[in-house]
C-alpha cells in the first residue's frame, strides 16, 4: 500500500481526494481510479480496450494505440499505490472480439500487469459479459465488501433500499468555471448510497452529470462531483 509520505505528496498536489462513503474511507485518484485502503484494493472502470480497432473497422480515423495507453496508465497508477487486489468494474473490453484484435505485445503487457498483483478480478459488464481465457485473472458478476456492492451497472433493488453500491457504466463528465477559465473532464459522482466511477479508457466518451440518466440513480439526493482536470482532481 502507498506510503504515508507518498500519499501526503499526492494530496498536496491535488492528485487524490479522500472521502467517507457508506462508512468506508476511500481515495479518489486523479487517474480515475478508486483506492480502498482497508482492503488494499484499487478499482478501475470502463477500460474499453480495443475500442480503437473496433471503430477502425467502420472507417473511423482513430489510431489503434488506445489499449497500450490504457494499460500503461493502469500500470503507473498501480505502481503509485501498490495494492494487492485490483478490480476492473466492467466493460474492460469494448466488444466480444476485442481480445482477438489486440496486438500481441499489448496482450502480453496486460497479462503481465494482471499477474503482477496478488489478486486481479474482472467484473463483467454489458460490453464484456465474458472475458476470454487468453486474459489472466478472476471473473465475477459482482463483488460485495462491507455491505457495499461493486458492479458494472446499478442494482435497483439496492437503490430502493438505500444500500450502497459502486458502479461504472455511465462515464460521467462535468464542467466548472473559475477565474474566467472553463474546466471540463471526467468525474466521480456520489450520494450517500451511490458512487459512479469515471471511465478509465482512452477512447471513452462521457455523459454530462446534468443528464436525466442520473436522476433515477440519485433520486433528488445531494450529489458530490469530483472533476478530473489536467492530472488533478477537484471537489466541486
Amino acid at each position: 500500500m502507498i506510503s504515508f509520505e507518498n500519499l501526503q505528496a499526492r494530496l498536496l498536489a491535488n492528485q487524490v481526494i479522500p472521502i467517507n462513503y457508506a462508512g468506508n474511507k476511500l481515495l479518489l485518484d486523479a487517474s480515475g481510479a478508486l483506492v480502498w485502503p482497508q482492503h488494499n484494493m484499487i478499482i478501475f472502470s470502463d477500460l474499453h480496450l480495443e475500442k480503437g480497432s473496433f471503430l477502425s473497422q467502420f472507417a473511423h480515423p482513430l489510431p489503434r494505440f488506445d489499449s497500450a495507453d490504457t494499460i500503461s496508465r493502469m500500470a503507473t497508477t498501480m505502481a503509485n499505490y501498490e495494492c494487492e487486489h485490483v478490480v476492473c468494474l466492467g466493460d474492460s473490453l469494448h466488444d466480444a472480439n476485442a481480445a482477438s484484435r489486440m496486438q500481441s505485445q499489448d496482450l502480453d503487457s496486460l497479462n503481465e500487469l494482471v499477474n503482477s498483483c496478488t489478486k486481479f478480478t474482472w467484473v463483467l459488464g454489458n460490453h464484456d459479459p465474458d472475458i476470454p481465457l487468453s486474459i489472466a485473472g478472476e471473473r465475477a458478476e459482482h463483488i460485495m465488501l462491507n455491505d457495499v456492492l461493486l458492479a458494472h451497472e446499478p442494482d435497483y433493488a439496492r437503490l430502493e433500499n438505500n444500500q450502497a453500491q459502486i458502479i461504472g457504466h455511465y462515464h460521467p463528465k462535468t464542467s466548472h468555471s473559475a477565474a474566467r477559465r472553463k474546466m471540463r473532464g471526467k468525474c466521480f459522482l456520489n450520494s450517500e448510497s451511490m458512487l459512479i466511477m469515471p471511465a478509465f479508457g482512452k477512447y471513452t466518451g462521457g455523459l454530462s452529470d446534468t443528464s436525466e440518466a442520473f436522476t433515477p440513480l440519485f433520486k433528488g439526493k445531494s450529489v458530490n462531483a469530483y472533476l478530473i482536470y489536467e492530472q488533478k482532481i477537484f471537489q466541486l
Side-chain angles (χ1 to χ4, degrees), residues 10-11 13-18 27-35 42-44 73 77 80-81 185-188 198-200 226-234:
R10 293 189 70 77
L11 285 166
N14 291 321
Q15 294 175 326
V16 65
I17 291 180
L27 302 174
L28 308 182
D29 191 78
S31 66
L34 183 153
V35 178
I42 188 165
I43 304 171
F44 301 94
R73 288 185 292 109
T77 306
N80 285 337
Y81 288 97
K186 300 178 181 183
C187 70
F188 293 86
F200 193 85
Y226 303 87
L227 169 67
I228 296 169
Y229 183 74
E230 294 186 349
Q231 301 180 333
K232 297 181 186 297
I233 184 167
F234 306 94

Side-chain angles (χ1 to χ4, degrees), residues 8-9 14 19 24 42 47 63 81 85 87 92-93 142 160 192 223:
Q8 284 295 105
N14 291 321
I19 67 167
N24 299 281
I42 188 165
L47 307 180
Y81 288 97
H85 189 183
V87 174
S92 301
L93 300 177
H142 61 268
E160 287 299 320
E192 63 181 2
V223 179

Side-chain angles (χ1 to χ4, degrees), residues 39-138:
H39 296 289
N40 207 354
M41 173 186 287
I42 188 165
I43 304 171
F44 301 94
S45 188
D46 294 273
L47 307 180
H48 285 270
L49 298 173
E50 291 305 305
K51 183 173 183 178
S53 64
F54 176 83
L55 293 176
S56 69
Q57 298 175 112
F58 307 100
H60 288 269
L62 286 174
R64 295 175 55 172
F65 65 81
D66 54 307
S67 292
D69 177 87
T70 299
I71 294 166
S72 176
R73 288 185 292 109
M74 286 178 69
T76 298
T77 306
M78 288 166 60
N80 285 337
Y81 288 97
E82 299 180 340
C83 292
E84 293 182 356
H85 189 183
V86 177
V87 174
C88 287
L89 211 54
D91 285 4
S92 301
L93 300 177
H94 186 67
D95 64 284
N97 297 314
S100 65
R101 294 194 309 274
M102 193 177 293
Q103 297 185 49
S104 59
Q105 62 266 34
D106 293 338
L107 182 59
D108 289 345
S109 295
L110 179 61
N111 280 325
E112 183 179 344
L113 196 63
V114 172
N115 291 323
S116 70
C117 46
T118 303
K119 187 175 183 179
F120 197 110
T121 305
W122 301 101
V123 172
L124 304 179
N126 58 298
H127 277 256
D128 55 359
D130 181 52
I131 302 287
L133 294 177
S134 59
I135 297 176
E138 302 179 4

Side-chain angles (χ1 to χ4, degrees), residues 154-172:
D155 181 316
Y156 286 96
R158 291 184 66 85
L159 194 62
E160 287 299 320
N161 293 318
N162 207 36
Q163 295 172 299
Q165 48 193 312
I166 298 172
I167 66 168
H169 186 59
Y170 290 92
H171 304 199

